[in-house]
Amino acid sequence: MKGYIGLDIGGSKILGILYDAQENVVLKIKKKSKAHEGKDVVLQQIDKVIQGLMADKTYEVMAIGAGVPGLVDDQGVVLFSPNLSFRQFDLKGHIASRYGVPTYVGNDVNVAMYGEYMKLARPGVKNVIGIFVGTGVGGALILGGELYTGQGAAGEIGHMVIQNDGARCGCGNYGCLEAYASKTAITGYIKSHMGRGAKSELEVLDEAILKSSLLKASYEEGDALVVEAVMRAARALGVGIGSLINLFHPDQIILGGGVMEALGEAMMPEIIINAKVNTMPGLLESVSIDRSILKDEAGTYGAYQLGRKLVL
Amino acid sequence: MKGYIGLDIGGSKILGILYDAQENVVLKIKKKSKAHEGKDVVLQQIDKVIQGLMADKTYEVMAIGAGVPGLVDDQGVVLFSPNLSFRQFDLKGHIASRYGVPTYVGNDVNVAMYGEYMKLARPGVKNVIGIFVGTGVGGALILGGELYTGQGAAGEIGHMVIQNDGARCGCGNYGCLEAYASKTAITGYIKSHMGRGAKSELEVLDEAILKSSLLKASYEEGDALVVEAVMRAARALGVGIGSLINLFHPDQIILGGGVMEALGEAMMPEIIINAKVNTMPGLLESVSIDRSILKDEAGTYGAYQLGRKLVL
């Protein structure tokens, strides 16, 4: 039978899934990336996952798809991935030549959001903006039913400026959406205010970035500082989404990532009201704003779809 | 011989040009729109322009293209055009059935920027963002070599929020790019500061919106308030352009419109330095930021190209 491999290659782990032609999960393998041991070790770990998924000879693997964190060009060359110690590395060529099958390699957020799009989109939906709210804020643009990457790095939604000269962002600039809406920004806001005497049940002064589950628990207990930090993130997302609707007039916006998974239910009303305020009259009504549904398997599922597309 | 008509239907005048297949201008006709007299009069004026261009029987008109101010759907129906007193009017169907030729009708900024794209773009350039800085700030997205309009209204670059809760915009929202960079915003800034005692040679307190030529003259005389208002607009455009590059990683940005025509030379250095600061490291180098070249004839030329495309 025909099989297709989807890989989600992250900085800490590699998840690989063998799917059949009907989108069923046949086999799942997870290995550490060991990125701190350098590129060659990461490649060995990728090999172990692929070989494990290929061990069952019932399935003939027709294509491999993969998402990796970082900047990937449209030829599947990883230009820069600090999390994987890759730089100017032709990962697509490497996998394709080793396994002799058509291979797709793309940016992880793009790949995962393409997966969400394929899973969620209603018939006729062609233009979808994906926003991934986690440690940072990433994005993906699906336009005319295809991933749009421009010269390679398009979709940096987290680095739209929503507040000129505003909060300092990890990218070095000021006022980016990421500087308000990411988990890093939420943590920073809470820490900074606790350092100035604000009360919170959270003990965060030593933690680099708070866990989403901890944020969720404190939010649900009504911890005022946490509630304010989370609502501030939701408002910023609404401002960004308003601008995105004015720019793209898309069919759908999909929100995913760790922050949305943990706090999406609480944040969505605030996100939507702020999106409405910042959208041109008449445009919002025709755009649906939804939360992602695939969670951990969005990356492998998107990679599967993009790989399979090569042989359809 | 084959001929093609390009129409630029504005709120005050209608410009029509008959082009031959080699892009040469054969004949040019300009009439008042008489928009204040209602839709039927506007349609009569359009007829006069088209009939005038068709009078020379040396040319057989193969297609008609037109740009109109306002919201136009992808079927050429003008959903809403306050400047022309049109609402839910199938202008494409109206022209096509009257003259029996394939017809294209689109938004004026989209059409004009498509013209600039066709004229300016180097070979291989596929993704171009057009920004039109005039009374307002409009935009057009050319992605994969085609106009991208989303559900119809995409490209509202002037209504990206660059300063959350910032300056009040004509659209009712706060902090839009248009609220800083348009001629309306430049006039408002100068007026407001003169009202509070700032010195300027300009006498603007009674003028609704300053003429670009007057702004240019005062800028060149070094009028400090005018210089500050114009540089503030340039900085805002730089911030917006940085966000646009992070989102689209396009090949090219084209800046046009009355403000850019009058003050572009003065504004470009400030625009570019601010775009650079607001762009992710490494992206700006591969994007060219250029001024438009077609001026008054961008609209008719883009309409000609979009019309001709229907019969190629």
Tab-separated table of all heavy atoms in Angstrom, chain B residues 83-113:
chain	number	residue	atom	x	y	z
B	83	ASN	N	-17.860	58.209	-4.441
B	83	ASN	CA	-17.424	59.263	-5.363
B	83	ASN	C	-18.182	59.251	-6.681
B	83	ASN	O	-18.207	60.248	-7.393
B	83	ASN	CB	-15.927	59.118	-5.671
B	83	ASN	CG	-15.079	59.393	-4.439
B	83	ASN	OD1	-15.555	59.975	-3.470
B	83	ASN	ND2	-13.838	58.955	-4.468
B	84	LEU	N	-18.737	58.114	-7.066
B	84	LEU	CA	-19.430	58.016	-8.355
B	84	LEU	C	-20.939	57.832	-8.200
B	84	LEU	O	-21.649	57.669	-9.184
B	84	LEU	CB	-18.878	56.828	-9.159
B	84	LEU	CG	-17.429	56.940	-9.630
B	84	LEU	CD1	-17.008	55.651	-10.312
B	84	LEU	CD2	-17.276	58.115	-10.593
B	85	SER	N	-21.430	57.823	-6.963
B	85	SER	CA	-22.841	57.532	-6.682
B	85	SER	C	-23.257	56.153	-7.208
B	85	SER	O	-24.388	55.976	-7.672
B	85	SER	CB	-23.777	58.609	-7.273
B	85	SER	OG	-23.296	59.895	-6.996
B	86	PHE	N	-22.308	55.192	-7.206
B	86	PHE	CA	-22.627	53.820	-7.604
B	86	PHE	C	-22.764	52.961	-6.354
B	86	PHE	O	-21.997	53.112	-5.407
B	86	PHE	CB	-21.485	53.193	-8.427
B	86	PHE	CG	-21.368	53.692	-9.837
B	86	PHE	CD1	-22.147	54.743	-10.305
B	86	PHE	CD2	-20.461	53.104	-10.716
B	86	PHE	CE1	-22.012	55.199	-11.616
B	86	PHE	CE2	-20.324	53.556	-12.021
B	86	PHE	CZ	-21.091	54.605	-12.467
B	87	ARG	N	-23.725	52.050	-6.381
B	87	ARG	CA	-23.847	51.085	-5.291
B	87	ARG	C	-24.431	49.809	-5.892
B	87	ARG	O	-25.443	49.867	-6.582
B	87	ARG	CB	-24.771	51.640	-4.201
B	87	ARG	CG	-24.877	50.752	-2.977
B	87	ARG	CD	-25.881	51.321	-1.986
B	87	ARG	NE	-25.286	52.338	-1.130
B	87	ARG	CZ	-24.695	52.067	0.040
B	87	ARG	NH1	-24.623	50.840	0.486
B	87	ARG	NH2	-24.202	53.043	0.775
B	88	GLN	N	-23.743	48.686	-5.682
B	88	GLN	CA	-24.197	47.398	-6.228
B	88	GLN	C	-24.533	47.517	-7.708
B	88	GLN	O	-25.600	47.092	-8.156
B	88	GLN	CB	-25.448	46.884	-5.458
B	88	GLN	CG	-25.176	46.471	-4.046
B	88	GLN	CD	-24.441	45.140	-3.940
B	88	GLN	OE1	-24.337	44.383	-4.893
B	88	GLN	NE2	-23.912	44.832	-2.763
B	89	PHE	N	-23.623	48.108	-8.462
B	89	PHE	CA	-23.894	48.298	-9.892
B	89	PHE	C	-22.917	47.488	-10.737
B	89	PHE	O	-21.694	47.595	-10.584
B	89	PHE	CB	-23.806	49.788	-10.254
B	89	PHE	CG	-24.019	50.039	-11.724
B	89	PHE	CD1	-25.249	49.777	-12.319
B	89	PHE	CD2	-22.975	50.503	-12.525
B	89	PHE	CE1	-25.440	49.986	-13.674
B	89	PHE	CE2	-23.165	50.704	-13.882
B	89	PHE	CZ	-24.403	50.447	-14.461
B	90	ASP	N	-23.465	46.674	-11.638
B	90	ASP	CA	-22.641	45.792	-12.478
B	90	ASP	C	-22.089	46.584	-13.665
B	90	ASP	O	-22.567	46.484	-14.785
B	90	ASP	CB	-23.502	44.616	-12.972
B	90	ASP	CG	-22.699	43.659	-13.848
B	90	ASP	OD1	-21.462	43.817	-13.949
B	90	ASP	OD2	-23.323	42.750	-14.431
B	91	LEU	N	-21.055	47.382	-13.391
B	91	LEU	CA	-20.479	48.248	-14.422
B	91	LEU	C	-19.839	47.425	-15.540
B	91	LEU	O	-19.930	47.784	-16.714
B	91	LEU	CB	-19.448	49.194	-13.790
B	91	LEU	CG	-18.793	50.187	-14.750
B	91	LEU	CD1	-19.808	51.122	-15.388
B	91	LEU	CD2	-17.710	51.004	-14.035
B	92	LYS	N	-19.210	46.313	-15.174
B	92	LYS	CA	-18.588	45.465	-16.197
B	92	LYS	C	-19.658	44.940	-17.165
B	92	LYS	O	-19.505	45.041	-18.385
B	92	LYS	CB	-17.864	44.294	-15.532
B	92	LYS	CG	-17.339	43.272	-16.527
B	92	LYS	CD	-16.681	42.120	-15.821
B	92	LYS	CE	-16.752	40.852	-16.668
B	92	LYS	NZ	-16.059	39.728	-16.030
B	93	GLY	N	-20.759	44.416	-16.610
B	93	GLY	CA	-21.835	43.903	-17.455
B	93	GLY	C	-22.420	45.005	-18.325
B	93	GLY	O	-22.685	44.804	-19.516
B	94	HIS	N	-22.581	46.197	-17.739
B	94	HIS	CA	-23.136	47.341	-18.460
B	94	HIS	C	-22.286	47.693	-19.674
B	94	HIS	O	-22.800	47.824	-20.794
B	94	HIS	CB	-23.225	48.535	-17.493
B	94	HIS	CG	-23.640	49.817	-18.129
B	94	HIS	ND1	-24.952	50.165	-18.314
B	94	HIS	CD2	-22.894	50.847	-18.643
B	94	HIS	CE1	-25.020	51.357	-18.894
B	94	HIS	NE2	-23.781	51.783	-19.108
B	95	ILE	N	-20.969	47.833	-19.481
B	95	ILE	CA	-20.083	48.218	-20.594
B	95	ILE	C	-19.979	47.079	-21.608
B	95	ILE	O	-20.069	47.299	-22.818
B	95	ILE	CB	-18.679	48.610	-20.059
B	95	ILE	CG1	-18.773	49.873	-19.191
B	95	ILE	CG2	-17.700	48.820	-21.214
B	95	ILE	CD1	-17.467	50.287	-18.531
B	96	ALA	N	-19.799	45.840	-21.075
B	96	ALA	CA	-19.605	44.696	-21.981
B	96	ALA	C	-20.814	44.515	-22.900
B	96	ALA	O	-20.663	44.251	-24.097
B	96	ALA	CB	-19.348	43.427	-21.170
B	97	SER	N	-22.023	44.674	-22.344
B	97	SER	CA	-23.208	44.423	-23.185
B	97	SER	C	-23.434	45.568	-24.165
B	97	SER	O	-23.891	45.379	-25.281
B	97	SER	CB	-24.445	44.172	-22.316
B	97	SER	OG	-24.785	45.357	-21.626
B	98	ARG	N	-23.098	46.816	-23.762
B	98	ARG	CA	-23.268	47.966	-24.657
B	98	ARG	C	-22.317	47.927	-25.846
B	98	ARG	O	-22.681	48.317	-26.943
B	98	ARG	CB	-23.011	49.264	-23.896
B	98	ARG	CG	-24.264	49.916	-23.397
B	98	ARG	CD	-23.900	51.142	-22.579
B	98	ARG	NE	-24.273	52.391	-23.226
B	98	ARG	CZ	-25.511	52.823	-23.359
B	98	ARG	NH1	-26.506	52.097	-22.922
B	98	ARG	NH2	-25.765	53.984	-23.934
B	99	TYR	N	-21.073	47.473	-25.591
B	99	TYR	CA	-20.069	47.557	-26.662
B	99	TYR	C	-19.651	46.195	-27.199
B	99	TYR	O	-18.854	46.120	-28.139
B	99	TYR	CB	-18.863	48.382	-26.179
B	99	TYR	CG	-19.281	49.793	-25.864
B	99	TYR	CD1	-19.544	50.196	-24.558
B	99	TYR	CD2	-19.507	50.708	-26.891
B	99	TYR	CE1	-19.995	51.476	-24.272
B	99	TYR	CE2	-19.954	51.998	-26.623
B	99	TYR	CZ	-20.200	52.374	-25.304
B	99	TYR	OH	-20.651	53.634	-25.048
B	100	GLY	N	-20.181	45.136	-26.584
B	100	GLY	CA	-19.943	43.804	-27.124
B	100	GLY	C	-18.481	43.360	-27.120
B	100	GLY	O	-18.066	42.592	-27.979
B	101	VAL	N	-17.694	43.866	-26.153
B	101	VAL	CA	-16.297	43.416	-26.067
B	101	VAL	C	-15.972	42.981	-24.632
B	101	VAL	O	-16.594	43.456	-23.678
B	101	VAL	CB	-15.291	44.522	-26.486
B	101	VAL	CG1	-15.458	44.875	-27.958
B	101	VAL	CG2	-15.428	45.750	-25.601
B	102	PRO	N	-15.012	42.061	-24.471
B	102	PRO	CA	-14.583	41.671	-23.131
B	102	PRO	C	-14.170	42.897	-22.323
B	102	PRO	O	-13.479	43.781	-22.849
B	102	PRO	CB	-13.386	40.754	-23.397
B	102	PRO	CG	-13.616	40.221	-24.767
B	102	PRO	CD	-14.290	41.328	-25.515
B	103	THR	N	-14.634	42.968	-21.067
B	103	THR	CA	-14.431	44.162	-20.247
B	103	THR	C	-13.896	43.780	-18.873
B	103	THR	O	-14.331	42.795	-18.290
B	103	THR	CB	-15.773	44.924	-20.104
B	103	THR	OG1	-16.235	45.281	-21.403
B	103	THR	CG2	-15.627	46.175	-19.253
B	104	TYR	N	-12.954	44.574	-18.379
B	104	TYR	CA	-12.443	44.414	-17.021
B	104	TYR	C	-12.783	45.662	-16.226
B	104	TYR	O	-12.552	46.782	-16.699
B	104	TYR	CB	-10.922	44.215	-17.036
B	104	TYR	CG	-10.351	44.073	-15.649
B	104	TYR	CD1	-10.151	42.815	-15.084
B	104	TYR	CD2	-10.045	45.194	-14.882
B	104	TYR	CE1	-9.657	42.673	-13.804
B	104	TYR	CE2	-9.555	45.062	-13.581
B	104	TYR	CZ	-9.359	43.795	-13.057
B	104	TYR	OH	-8.881	43.664	-11.783
B	105	VAL	N	-13.345	45.487	-15.027
B	105	VAL	CA	-13.568	46.623	-14.131
B	105	VAL	C	-12.985	46.276	-12.769
B	105	VAL	O	-13.274	45.213	-12.207
B	105	VAL	CB	-15.070	46.965	-13.985
B	105	VAL	CG1	-15.287	48.043	-12.921
B	105	VAL	CG2	-15.650	47.426	-15.312
B	106	GLY	N	-12.122	47.158	-12.261
B	106	GLY	CA	-11.511	46.918	-10.951
B	106	GLY	C	-11.346	48.212	-10.186
B	106	GLY	O	-11.634	49.304	-10.700
B	107	ASN	N	-10.878	48.084	-8.958
B	107	ASN	CA	-10.603	49.249	-8.118
B	107	ASN	C	-9.485	50.097	-8.736
B	107	ASN	O	-8.502	49.561	-9.247
B	107	ASN	CB	-10.205	48.748	-6.725
B	107	ASN	CG	-9.593	49.835	-5.874
B	107	ASN	OD1	-8.390	50.039	-5.899
B	107	ASN	ND2	-10.415	50.553	-5.141
B	108	ASP	N	-9.639	51.424	-8.658
B	108	ASP	CA	-8.685	52.310	-9.346
B	108	ASP	C	-7.236	52.160	-8.879
B	108	ASP	O	-6.316	52.180	-9.696
B	108	ASP	CB	-9.145	53.779	-9.263
B	108	ASP	CG	-9.317	54.281	-7.843
B	108	ASP	OD1	-9.263	53.470	-6.893
B	108	ASP	OD2	-9.526	55.507	-7.669
B	109	VAL	N	-7.037	52.005	-7.561
B	109	VAL	CA	-5.658	51.877	-7.075
B	109	VAL	C	-5.060	50.546	-7.542
B	109	VAL	O	-3.909	50.485	-7.987
B	109	VAL	CB	-5.590	51.999	-5.538
B	109	VAL	CG1	-4.180	51.724	-5.036
B	109	VAL	CG2	-6.037	53.383	-5.104
B	110	ASN	N	-5.847	49.484	-7.462
B	110	ASN	CA	-5.371	48.194	-7.965
B	110	ASN	C	-4.995	48.280	-9.440
B	110	ASN	O	-3.938	47.791	-9.850
B	110	ASN	CB	-6.467	47.124	-7.804
B	110	ASN	CG	-6.525	46.580	-6.387
B	110	ASN	OD1	-5.552	46.676	-5.633
B	110	ASN	ND2	-7.648	46.010	-6.018
B	111	VAL	N	-5.870	48.891	-10.211
B	111	VAL	CA	-5.639	48.970	-11.655
B	111	VAL	C	-4.388	49.803	-11.960
B	111	VAL	O	-3.532	49.403	-12.755
B	111	VAL	CB	-6.892	49.541	-12.357
B	111	VAL	CG1	-6.584	49.917	-13.794
B	111	VAL	CG2	-8.043	48.536	-12.299
B	112	ALA	N	-4.267	50.963	-11.293
B	112	ALA	CA	-3.110	51.832	-11.554
B	112	ALA	C	-1.812	51.143	-11.131
B	112	ALA	O	-0.797	51.221	-11.831
B	112	ALA	CB	-3.274	53.160	-10.814
B	113	MET	N	-1.845	50.453	-9.987
B	113	MET	CA	-0.622	49.797	-9.513
B	113	MET	C	-0.270	48.601	-10.397
B	113	MET	O	0.896	48.287	-10.572
B	113	MET	CB	-0.761	49.406	-8.051
B	113	MET	CG	-0.544	50.581	-7.118
B	113	MET	SD	1.161	51.252	-7.255
B	113	MET	CE	1.018	52.742	-6.238
